[in-house]
Amino acid sequence: MMYKKPSKILFCGTKNKYGFSYQHWYLTLEKNCNQVIIFDYHWIDICYGRAVMNEKFLEIIKRDKPDYVFLPSINEFYFDTLLGVREVSPKTKVIMSFGDDDTQFESFSRYAMLFVDYGFLYQKKYVRKYAKEGIKNVFCINGLNTDFFRPMKIKKKYDVTFIGQPLSDKSLRYEYIKFLKDKGINIRLFGWGWDKYNEFKDIYGGPLESKDMIKVLN
C-alpha cells in the first residue's frame, strides 16, 4: 500500500528552537505533509485573551480546511471550540497528544478525548483506563525525531546531567540535584529557571536548543 502524504495539517504550537513540540513534532510533520500551518495559540492567548484565541482557531480551520489538526494536551481550547471544528470543517480530524496522563487523566484527559478524533498517548498503561471509559480511539506512541536523537561520536564529558525546569524550591528535582552536588557528583544542570539558584551557579549550563541537548545526551 502506497503512503499518501496528507495535504494540509494545522499544527498548534510555536516555532521555538527550544520547544520540544516544534523540534520533534512540527519538523517531522513538515517532512511528511505537503503543507503545515502553524497556529501559535499561546502567543494569541497572551496578546488577545482566550476567547479571541478560540475564535481565531475556528476561523483558520473554516478558511483552510486542514485534513488534520494537531493539538498538545492543553486546556486553553474550550470543548465547545473542539466541537465547532466538526461544524466549520466536517472532514477535518483532530488529534491530541497526551503526555501527562499520570497527573491529568482524571481531571482533563478522559474528558478531552470525547471531543477529538484521535489521542496519542505516551504512557501505555493508560490505554486500558481509556478503554474502561469506553474510549478506544487512543494509540500509544513511542517515537522520536531521528534527525535529532542519534548517536554522535563525541567524547564523554559529564557523569550525570539533568535537563528540565526546577518547578519549585521544594520539588524533588531540586532536592535530588542538591543531594548529588553536595555529595561531589560530577553533575551538570540545564534548562530554564535554574539561574535563580546561586547554589547551582557553578553547575548550571543554561537552556539548550535541541541540537545542543543531543550533544549533552551523547
Side-chain angles (χ1 to χ4, degrees), residues 20-97:
F20 173 86
S21 61
Y22 171 72
Q23 297 287 357
H24 302 287
W25 277 112
Y26 174 82
L27 294 178
T28 302
L29 292 172
E30 190 178 44
K31 288 175 60 177
N32 294 280
C33 182
N34 293 327
Q35 182 183 2
V36 180
I37 306 164
I38 286 188
F39 178 72
D40 193 340
Y41 69 90
H42 185 62
W43 181 246
I44 297 172
D45 189 5
I46 291 173
C47 293
Y48 302 102
R50 189 146 303 174
V52 172
M53 183 274 287
N54 277 260
E55 291 174 7
K56 289 184 177 294
F57 174 69
L58 287 178
E59 288 173 4
I60 289 177
I61 294 175
K62 184 177 182 179
R63 181 192 69 197
D64 293 329
K65 299 290 193 299
D67 298 310
Y68 297 96
V69 174
F70 189 89
L71 293 168
S73 54
I74 53 172
N75 58 13
E76 280 88 341
F77 290 94
Y78 305 143
F79 289 160
D80 283 347
T81 299
L82 297 178
L83 283 176
V85 173
R86 296 169 183 172
E87 296 177 8
V88 300
S89 183
K91 293 184 179 181
T92 296
K93 301 298 183 183
V94 179
I95 301 169
M96 184 176 281
S97 65

Side-chain angles (χ1 to χ4, degrees), residues 157-215:
K157 193 173 182 180
Y158 312 114
D159 291 334
V160 178
T161 59
F162 179 83
I163 304 171
Q165 298 181 26
L167 300 181
S168 72
D169 295 350
K170 296 181 180 180
S171 72
L172 289 177
R173 293 182 178 185
Y174 174 90
E175 294 296 333
Y176 289 158
I177 291 166
K178 190 174 187 306
F179 175 83
L180 292 171
K181 182 178 183 296
D182 290 346
K183 294 297 182 181
I185 301 299
N186 176 23
I187 182 172
R188 190 71 169 169
L189 183 60
F190 302 94
W192 296 100
W194 295 102
D195 52 312
K196 66 180 181 181
Y197 299 98
N198 289 328
E199 60 268 42
F200 297 143
K201 187 175 181 180
D202 57 329
I203 65 170
Y204 179 49
L208 296 172
E209 294 184 39
S210 289
K211 60 183 179 64
D212 295 321
M213 181 178 70
I214 302 309
K215 292 179 182 178

Side-chain angles (χ1 to χ4, degrees), residues 118-131:
Y118 306 105
F120 289 171
L121 312 183
Y122 293 97
Q123 300 180 50
K124 185 177 180 180
K125 66 180 181 180
Y126 281 89
V127 173
R128 292 183 179 179
K129 290 198 173 186
Y130 282 101

Side-chain angles (χ1 to χ4, degrees), residues 73-74 97-109 120-123 126 130 173:
S73 54
I74 53 172
S97 65
F98 296 93
D100 298 305
D101 278 328
D102 54 322
T103 59
Q104 293 185 343
F105 178 80
E106 295 294 339
S107 62
F108 175 73
S109 303
F120 289 171
L121 312 183
Y122 293 97
Q123 300 180 50
Y126 281 89
Y130 282 101
R173 293 182 178 185

